[in-house]
Amino acid sequence: MPKLTDTMCKAEKFTHYLPNTLKYKILLPPVLKNSVSTKKDLRSNKPVCVKEIAVLMACLKKEEFKNNTCVKEYLKFNECVEESTEELAKMREAQRKGLQIEGSNKFPAIQVNKTLRRFPQKPAVFELTKRQNPEHKKK
Amino acid sequence: MHPQSFLFSSVTQVRHRRYDPRFREPSLDTAELAEPLSDDDERKYNPIKAAKNYETTSVFYDPLLEKLINMLMYNGNKAAAREIVEGMLEEIKMIQVKKYNHAGSKQEQEAIECNPYLIFQQALENLKPALMIIPVRKGGTVYQVPMSCPPKRQQFKVFKWLVDLNRDRERKIRMSKKLAMDVVDAFHHEGKCMKKKIELLKLCEANRAFAHYRW
């Protein structure tokens, strides 16, 4: 078996080329907020009226986008749009009242925010380094 | 309860009116205004916003025409914008009456619509697009996603096309005439604005695969 002592001793030579520690730049302070986003509650994961759009587009292409054509497809599309706006209105009402939205398993964000407001995080305290401290720069 | 306390409850902005949410819109219906209010009617105790200068209870008041006047207005010159729109209605009438007088038979004459207000309203309905394109950013690229166009947005698009496309046309023709020609064309499903609407629908058709990218 070849001796590795020589290579191990030589390997030590190259350690001072590499940094010992990783430099990590903190762009945003790692502080938790005392609230949760309420927008995601209103987003349903189902794409709305996609079929109706596809059918309408197929008909329009067939009729070369002439006017007064594809009346049936337009009616169906408008019905679908009306339904989706009604559903969105219901979801908004439910969110406003703080109730759970039908069809989603999520705990409503507004209620989460209420509890978080009651038990907020302690305000974070940061120590600025010499470089970051503006008073140090003035000197 | 002094109405001023509602108005100046918070910082007032320079160009927009910002009323307290309790303020109601004024009614422009003469029948509704003539009716006396009972003592327990909410409207008696709620503050009401001031009516805008152009809002009247007149028979001739048309909110769509007022919207067109506002969108046509440039540099705050409302008088000029109003003149242009009134001229547009006159021009529409002239165009249609000319056709009426040159019509061959009585049947043809009856088919020609001479009421400029009706033509304007029908033209707007013809120009309204059912779909619109929204840019959606997904995975670094921006996709042009088609989605249904809500009614207010439809109305806005139609007025914007009418105004912008006619501003780009030849300068020697009066704006009122250009608008009138475009409106009459739109009534018959033709013209530059109709072309713009069809272009939008074609773009939606081309991007129909991205319709599910909305979420």
Side-chain angles (χ1 to χ4, degrees), chain B residues 24-35 37 43 47-52 55-58 61:
Chain B
R24 302 284 188 89
E25 294 285 339
S27 160
L28 300 169
D29 184 17
T30 40
E32 201 183 339
L33 290 168
E35 268 178 34
L37 296 174
R43 288 174 288 176
I48 298 173
K49 294 183 192 178
K52 294 183 183 170
E55 285 178 344
T56 60
T57 51
S58 152
Y61 173 70

Side-chain angles (χ1 to χ4, degrees), chain A residues 42-48 50 53-54 56-58 60-61 64-68 74 77-78 81 84, chain B residues 126 130-131 146-149 154 189-190 194 197-198 201-206 208 211-215:
Chain A
L42 293 171
R43 266 184 165 194
S44 60
N45 284 322
K46 304 177 273 180
V48 172
V50 180
I53 289 176
L56 178 62
M57 296 281 92
L60 281 173
K61 193 162 186 189
E64 290 168 23
F65 297 95
K66 281 182 195 161
N67 291 289
N68 290 337
Y74 268 117
F77 175 68
N78 288 331
V81 166
S84 66
Chain B
N126 291 349
L131 297 156
M147 65 174 259
S148 65
C149 198
Q154 283 177 346
H189 299 284
E190 292 162 357
M194 193 51 80
K197 177 198 172 184
I198 290 171
L201 289 177
K202 281 188 178 169
L203 189 61
C204 291
E205 202 274 324
R208 68 188 184 285
H212 61 277
Y213 274 28
R214 206 180 142 192
W215 286 269

Side-chain angles (χ1 to χ4, degrees), chain B residues 71 124 127-134 147 149-165 193 196-197 200:
Chain B
M71 291 192 77
L124 289 186
L127 284 173
K128 281 184 181 173
L131 297 156
M132 67 181 193
I133 293 276
I134 46 161
M147 65 174 259
C149 198
K152 270 192 175 177
R153 190 80 193 156
Q154 283 177 346
Q155 190 186 283
F156 170 75
K157 277 191 187 287
V158 171
F159 285 129
K160 197 77 183 169
W161 290 336
L162 270 176
V163 171
D164 285 354
L165 294 176
C193 291
K196 188 91 181 178
K197 177 198 172 184
L200 178 62

Side-chain angles (χ1 to χ4, degrees), chain B residues 36-90:
Chain B
L37 296 174
S38 61
D39 277 340
D40 51 327
D41 198 315
E42 269 187 334
R43 288 174 288 176
K44 236 184 177 181
Y45 307 104
N46 266 312
I48 298 173
K49 294 183 192 178
K52 294 183 183 170
N53 273 335
Y54 56 83
E55 285 178 344
T56 60
T57 51
S58 152
V59 181
F60 304 107
Y61 173 70
D62 187 359
L64 290 174
L65 279 174
E66 296 295 334
K67 194 77 191 176
L68 180 60
I69 291 168
N70 281 339
M71 291 192 77
L72 203 57
M73 176 168 63
Y74 188 78
N75 251 353
N77 198 347
K78 185 80 162 236
R82 213 183 315 124
E83 271 179 38
I84 291 168
V85 171
E86 284 172 7
M88 173 192 88
L89 293 167
E90 217 183 288

Side-chain angles (χ1 to χ4, degrees), chain A residues 25-93:
Chain A
K25 203 172 182 182
I26 296 173
L27 296 164
L28 289 168
V31 180
L32 288 172
K33 277 200 285 186
N34 289 321
S35 63
V36 169
S37 148
T38 50
K39 278 188 189 177
K40 290 189 180 174
D41 269 2
L42 293 171
R43 266 184 165 194
S44 60
N45 284 322
K46 304 177 273 180
V48 172
C49 294
V50 180
K51 258 190 196 176
E52 274 76 9
I53 289 176
V55 167
L56 178 62
M57 296 281 92
C59 171
L60 281 173
K61 193 162 186 189
K62 208 171 142 188
E63 302 277 354
E64 290 168 23
F65 297 95
K66 281 182 195 161
N67 291 289
N68 290 337
T69 54
C70 303
V71 180
K72 266 192 200 174
E73 281 80 3
Y74 268 117
L75 281 172
K76 277 196 178 172
F77 175 68
N78 288 331
E79 274 172 27
C80 178
V81 166
E82 266 183 54
E83 271 177 38
S84 66
T85 45
E86 273 172 25
E87 269 185 49
L88 191 67
K90 275 188 197 170
M91 280 161 87
R92 285 219 166 97
E93 264 296 305

Side-chain angles (χ1 to χ4, degrees), chain B residues 3-4 22 59 97 112 139 143 155-156 158 175-176 183 189:
Chain B
Q4 298 289 312
R22 272 175 283 188
V59 181
V97 168
I112 293 167
Y143 295 101
Q155 190 186 283
F156 170 75
V158 171
M175 188 65 173
S176 47
V183 164
H189 299 284

